Amino acid sequence: MRGFVAGALGLALLGGCVSGDGGSGFGDRASALPPSLAYRLTQSLTTEVGPRLAGTPREAAARDWAVRTLKDLKFGRVAVEPFTIKGWAREREEAFIVSHGDQALAVTALGGSISTPKAGITAPIAFVASYDDLLLAPPDAYAGKIVFINDRMKAARDGSGYGVAVRKRSRGAIEAAKRGALAVAIRSVGTDNTRFPHTGNMNYDAAVKRIPAAAVSNADADQLERLHAMGVPMRLKLVLKTRAIADAPSGNVVADIVGVEKPDEIVLLAAHLDSWDLGTGAVDDATGVAIVVAAALKAAGPEMKPKRTIRVVLYGAEEVGVHGGDAYAKAHAGEIANHVLATEADFGTGRVWRFASKALEADLPFFDSVAAGLRDLGVERGDNKSGGGADIAALAKKGVPIVGLSQDGTTYFDYHHTANDTLDKVDAAALEQNVEVYARVARAFANR
Amino acid sequence: MRGFVAGALGLALLGGCVSGDGGSGFGDRASALPPSLAYRLTQSLTTEVGPRLAGTPREAAARDWAVRTLKDLKFGRVAVEPFTIKGWAREREEAFIVSHGDQALAVTALGGSISTPKAGITAPIAFVASYDDLLLAPPDAYAGKIVFINDRMKAARDGSGYGVAVRKRSRGAIEAAKRGALAVAIRSVGTDNTRFPHTGNMNYDAAVKRIPAAAVSNADADQLERLHAMGVPMRLKLVLKTRAIADAPSGNVVADIVGVEKPDEIVLLAAHLDSWDLGTGAVDDATGVAIVVAAALKAAGPEMKPKRTIRVVLYGAEEVGVHGGDAYAKAHAGEIANHVLATEADFGTGRVWRFASKALEADLPFFDSVAAGLRDLGVERGDNKSGGGADIAALAKKGVPIVGLSQDGTTYFDYHHTANDTLDKVDAAALEQNVEVYARVARAFANR
């Protein structure tokens, strides 16, 4: 693998467009221009590594890819900071409406779900209109049943529908099990109308029986909704086979463009290297990786001599519990006060439209001036309550100043955590706007 | 099943919208209006029967559905005309790029394909840019390899990209096997950029070794194209398990609104009842079924007394070889001369934009006048060379006058033969335009 990745990178990063005529989506979007560095990075990671589930050999391949790429790009210090997680993998997933001609449902196990028995679980469906309705149900309301939760996520530029909709994914198994359910299935947390189910992490509670948890696609959820409305009781057969992996290796890749005046002060640009296993993780989060790498280089300038250190951290194991974010905060506990900024790119490929922050009152004028410098790119000033993002949340909690750059997420949840998250979904022009925004922010803080 | 279907139909056909708040795609498109008969028929067939592969119990369920529906709708004569086919079913399908981190490809067996050995076929990929290139290759050019054919279908209103692109699906296995290939995989015959592979019928030649044949999604084909361009040889593992079914039952459902003046003269409206197994066959061809049924009733008028007989034929086993079309022509050989018109709806849900025909010279003025009567619906007059469509081709060959109504197929091949062909893809407003066009044509010929 080693030789291949090195050779491939040379081609992908240095050789321009590797796609043939009529090839990638990129060709369609900007056929006259050669692909940018950010686009080539996105293409390289999604094509040469592909899916890279946390704790698997493919995530390790992504770390190898990152180390070689960042060295090729002349980052001054490049290191893997390993840690270990409880891994998980899917092996089989299927579901059928056995009461209605054995219609197959497009279904996927939620991340962390246990298996069903080998023959599956066959039981009546308890159709629950929403997660809030589930919470209102009394104990044993769903004894012996498979609970189906039908919440529908709303698309929004700021992704605000996610927080509401994701509750059923995170806690549906717990709340359904409390009420006697044998398993839980949810309408996918996603805004598309396709038959791609959306996976994503789910949780168990040590005090509550663990039950299998799956997501069905929006189109299949519509089908269940219509059949339910007809009043004929439904029975579902759900088969999940998953596997827990003890002590699975993961790690963060940390790469510095070392500052020439204040090398110990750090401007941190964050994205995550792992992806879910179903797709190639293009908008989640290869584009984030590409944005922060390209922005760091752009901010450092051709001589690569920023005043302060510009650090790119490509986190591992974000999807399965933000383990990389925690590991970084722990490993770098001694230098957290040296971080003059942390910002993250993990919301796909839409244009940045808002600059929010979490800064000390005294520092707000400087943050405001940086935000003002983004107006020509269509970026408005947001509030000073930004959490920054999952991977830098641990730093934010410890007081590291944060810039939260909101990308347009209107279509992000059409692809998020699905098999359909592939390179062709990347908007190459918007990607460049992102690089420019992140670069200006990084430059402003590095050279302040 | 019987009781359920009857009850369900009552609800779906008579009870109005069965979808809850925020329910089906229909609600989004025309929320103020109650669903039309055509929409309700589409919904009923795709929801209550769902996938209905030819020769399976689900196709039989579709015939039951059709008989009950057409009787409920007061068609005067409703009959099943059974025939037998060689059936086929898929059981397992998967593929991995074993040379590149075992990346999984979204793959589906082509209809009629044999299985691979249980452990699959693992072999180098011979990347062939197009079907035409395949034809130019010498014998044994691909000995020991899995041929991948990369033709990309072009979207067009008239679906003209299909004829070119489908050659590799129909004959790819034959032409690859002639050149020594172990298996063939094709870029899906479809115009989407998703990870849904498109199935569809394929052929073998008795004189050529049979090899397994599969389609990969467009997004996966892009991935193969990019990896191929990087120059690192690829190896693919392909696993297909399929099953041949001897003497599988199929049948046409024939329903007449009997003419009051010339009952023996027939205006035939055609669609097909079977679908591929992956989706619920909404645009292929539940909408066609809905259009011709609703149009027949509209043409007959509230008193159901057309001069000539308006006959709806819902064909079986179209997808797997147009067996229903052949069976009808054979069973009705004695009355073919009585067919004053045949027309077919099997191109999804786009608006009709062209009226073509195949009429005797002397009859052209009447056809022209019918076409002229559609101008306000945006329908232009096409030529007099129409083949009519797959199911009525046998009638056309025997001289039955044909009207070919071209539906806008720009997006049809985004969903055609995929798991994603579901109710939410139906454009309810365009469906009504179709019903009106088909009704005017049927009325004109029935009451001529």
Side-chain angles (χ1 to χ4, degrees):
Chain A
M1 203 59 215
R2 177 169 280 252
F4 162 67
V5 170
L9 266 176
L11 230 181
L13 291 174
L14 307 175
C17 183
V18 300
S19 180
D21 288 339
S24 72
F26 180 75
D28 301 333
R29 290 180 194 270
S31 55
L33 297 170
S36 68
L37 174 62
Y39 190 86
R40 281 178 286 145
L41 289 167
T42 307
Q43 174 169 308
S44 178
L45 178 56
T46 57
T47 303
E48 294 155 43
V49 179
R52 45 198 183 277
L53 183 64
T56 69
R58 298 314 297 160
E59 196 199 30
R63 286 194 295 280
D64 290 346
W65 173 91
V67 168
R68 288 168 192 286
T69 300
L70 294 162
K71 286 184 175 172
D72 279 356
L73 292 170
K74 312 294 184 200
F75 276 73
R77 287 191 295 235
V78 181
V80 174
E81 300 183 355
F83 54 88
T84 299
I85 63 169
K86 288 181 188 170
W88 176 90
R90 86 184 68 243
E91 296 190 345
R92 186 177 168 213
E93 43 199 20
E94 54 187 46
F96 303 92
I97 317 175
V98 294
S99 54
H100 291 68
D102 275 331
Q103 290 190 38
L105 293 178
V107 68
T108 196
L110 294 180
S113 173
I114 60 171
S115 301
T116 62
K118 194 174 177 185
I121 293 172
T122 302
I125 292 181
F127 188 95
V128 181
S130 70
Y131 180 70
D132 288 328
D133 282 3
L134 175 65
L135 296 181
L136 293 174
D140 289 326
Y142 305 122
K145 297 192 174 176
I146 297 175
V147 162
F148 174 73
I149 314 174
N150 195 39
D151 280 275
R152 186 185 295 266
M153 182 180 169
K154 288 194 170 68
R157 185 171 68 159
D158 65 358
S160 54
Y162 188 61
V164 179
V166 81
R167 296 177 303 153
K168 69 178 189 286
R169 194 190 79 203
S170 299
R171 293 190 49 87
I174 297 167
E175 297 299 337
K178 279 185 190 172
R179 292 161 177 85
L182 302 175
V184 67
I186 63 170
R187 175 188 283 274
S188 279
V189 179
T191 50
D192 57 301
N193 240 354
T194 74
R195 295 194 72 197
F196 292 115
H198 296 238
T199 190
N201 221 28
M202 53 81 66
N203 299 304
Y204 289 119
D205 181 323
V208 180
K209 190 187 170 196
R210 301 194 305 165
I211 59 173
V216 305
S217 81
N218 271 308
D220 291 85
D222 290 348
Q223 186 84 330
L224 290 172
E225 184 177 299
R226 285 189 294 268
L227 289 169
H228 173 69
M230 295 177 68
V232 181
M234 285 183 283
R235 288 174 64 81
L236 192 72
K237 177 181 177 182
L238 176 68
V239 184
L240 299 182
K241 189 178 176 200
T242 64
R243 186 164 48 91
I245 308 166
D247 298 326
S250 186
N252 297 326
V253 177
V254 180
D256 288 346
I257 301 172
V258 182
V260 291
E261 291 186 14
K262 299 183 174 182
D264 294 341
E265 294 192 10
I266 298 160
V267 171
L268 188 151
L269 308 183
H272 68 84
L273 205 47
D274 65 310
S275 77
W276 280 106
D277 51 337
L278 300 175
T280 60
V283 301
D284 189 13
D285 184 29
T287 45
V289 168
I291 289 164
V292 298
V293 171
L297 292 167
K298 197 167 192 174
E303 296 194 356
M304 301 281 272
K305 290 184 177 173
K307 282 191 193 173
R308 292 175 185 76
T309 291
I310 299 176
R311 172 171 293 176
V312 166
V313 185
L314 305 181
Y315 290 90
E318 190 271 350
E319 296 292 5
V320 299
V322 200
H323 300 296
D326 294 340
Y328 180 87
K330 202 170 163 187
H332 295 263
E335 62 172 358
I336 283 184
N338 294 349
H339 288 70
V340 300
L341 179 76
T343 190
E344 180 172 320
D346 184 16
F347 206 55
T349 183
R351 283 168 195 273
V352 178
W353 60 278
R354 188 173 62 189
F355 172 109
S357 61
K358 186 68 184 290
L360 294 175
E361 191 72 17
D363 226 11
L364 275 178
F366 180 71
F367 279 74
D368 290 344
S369 72
V370 177
L374 302 172
R375 272 190 214 130
D376 64 303
L377 297 171
V379 182
E380 64 190 55
R381 180 66 168 109
D383 64 21
N384 194 41
K385 298 173 186 167
S386 177
D391 276 316
I392 60 174
L395 300 179
K397 276 186 193 157
K398 291 177 190 289
V400 172
I402 297 292
V403 166
L405 296 165
S406 302
Q407 297 168 283
D408 186 329
T410 308
T411 64
Y412 179 62
F413 292 102
D414 288 353
Y415 310 114
H416 181 251
H417 295 188
T418 71
N420 204 25
D421 179 6
T422 49
L423 181 64
D424 49 286
K425 310 310 180 303
V426 173
D427 180 335
L431 194 64
E432 294 319 295
Q433 189 259 13
N434 272 272
V435 171
E436 180 62 22
V437 170
Y438 278 82
R440 287 190 196 177
V441 171
R443 189 186 301 123
F445 282 86
N447 295 339
R448 183 177 177 181
Chain B
M1 203 58 216
R2 175 168 282 253
F4 162 67
V5 170
L9 266 176
L11 230 181
L13 291 175
L14 307 175
C17 183
V18 299
S19 180
D21 288 340
S24 72
F26 180 75
D28 300 332
R29 290 179 193 271
S31 55
L33 297 169
S36 68
L37 174 63
Y39 191 86
R40 281 178 285 144
L41 289 168
T42 307
Q43 174 169 308
S44 178
L45 178 56
T46 57
T47 303
E48 294 155 42
V49 180
R52 45 199 182 277
L53 183 64
T56 69
R58 298 314 296 161
E59 196 199 30
R63 287 194 294 280
D64 290 345
W65 173 91
V67 168
R68 287 167 194 287
T69 300
L70 294 162
K71 285 183 175 171
D72 279 356
L73 292 170
K74 312 294 184 201
F75 277 73
R77 288 191 295 235
V78 180
V80 174
E81 300 183 355
F83 54 88
T84 300
I85 63 169
K86 288 181 188 170
W88 176 90
R90 87 184 67 242
E91 296 191 344
R92 186 176 167 213
E93 44 199 20
E94 54 187 45
F96 304 92
I97 317 175
V98 294
S99 54
H100 291 68
D102 276 331
Q103 290 189 38
L105 294 178
V107 68
T108 196
L110 294 181
S113 173
I114 61 170
S115 301
T116 62
K118 194 174 177 185
I121 293 172
T122 302
I125 292 181
F127 188 96
V128 181
S130 71
Y131 180 70
D132 288 328
D133 282 3
L134 176 64
L135 296 181
L136 293 174
D140 290 325
Y142 306 122
K145 297 191 174 176
I146 296 174
V147 162
F148 174 73
I149 314 174
N150 195 39
D151 280 276
R152 186 185 294 267
M153 182 180 168
K154 288 194 171 68
R157 185 171 69 159
D158 65 358
S160 53
Y162 188 61
V164 179
V166 81
R167 296 177 303 153
K168 69 177 189 287
R169 194 190 79 203
S170 299
R171 294 191 48 87
I174 297 167
E175 298 299 338
K178 279 185 190 172
R179 291 160 178 86
L182 302 175
V184 66
I186 63 170
R187 175 188 283 273
S188 279
V189 179
T191 51
D192 56 301
N193 240 354
T194 74
R195 296 194 72 197
F196 292 115
H198 296 239
T199 191
N201 221 27
M202 53 81 66
N203 301 115
Y204 289 120
D205 181 324
V208 179
K209 189 187 170 196
R210 301 194 306 165
I211 59 174
V216 305
S217 81
N218 271 309
D220 291 84
D222 290 348
Q223 186 84 330
L224 290 173
E225 184 177 298
R226 285 189 293 268
L227 289 169
H228 173 69
M230 295 177 68
V232 181
M234 285 184 283
R235 288 174 64 81
L236 192 71
K237 178 182 177 181
L238 176 68
V239 184
L240 299 182
K241 189 178 177 199
T242 64
R243 186 164 48 90
I245 308 166
D247 298 325
S250 186
N252 298 326
V253 177
V254 180
D256 288 346
I257 301 172
V258 182
V260 291
E261 290 185 15
K262 299 183 174 182
D264 293 342
E265 294 192 10
I266 298 160
V267 171
L268 188 151
L269 307 183
H272 68 84
L273 204 47
D274 65 311
S275 76
W276 280 105
D277 51 337
L278 300 175
T280 60
V283 301
D284 188 13
D285 185 28
T287 45
V289 168
I291 289 164
V292 298
V293 170
L297 292 167
K298 197 166 193 175
E303 297 194 355
M304 300 281 272
K305 290 184 177 172
K307 282 192 194 173
R308 292 175 184 77
T309 291
I310 299 176
R311 172 172 294 177
V312 166
V313 184
L314 305 181
Y315 291 90
E318 190 271 350
E319 296 291 5
V320 299
V322 200
H323 300 296
D326 294 341
Y328 180 88
K330 203 170 162 186
H332 295 264
E335 62 172 357
I336 282 184
N338 294 349
H339 288 70
V340 300
L341 179 75
T343 190
E344 180 172 320
D346 184 16
F347 206 55
T349 183
R351 283 168 195 273
V352 178
W353 60 278
R354 187 174 61 189
F355 171 109
S357 61
K358 186 69 184 288
L360 294 175
E361 191 72 18
D363 226 11
L364 275 178
F366 179 72
F367 279 74
D368 289 343
S369 73
V370 176
L374 302 172
R375 271 190 214 130
D376 64 304
L377 296 171
V379 182
E380 63 191 56
R381 180 67 168 109
D383 64 21
N384 194 41
K385 298 172 186 168
S386 177
D391 276 316
I392 60 174
L395 300 179
K397 276 186 193 155
K398 291 176 190 289
V400 172
I402 297 292
V403 165
L405 296 165
S406 301
Q407 296 168 285
D408 185 329
T410 308
T411 64
Y412 180 61
F413 291 102
D414 288 353
Y415 310 114
H416 181 252
H417 295 187
T418 71
N420 204 25
D421 179 6
T422 49
L423 181 65
D424 50 285
K425 310 310 180 302
V426 173
D427 180 336
L431 194 65
E432 294 319 295
Q433 188 259 14
N434 271 273
V435 171
E436 180 61 23
V437 170
Y438 278 82
R440 287 191 196 176
V441 171
R443 189 186 301 123
F445 282 86
N447 296 338
R448 183 176 177 180

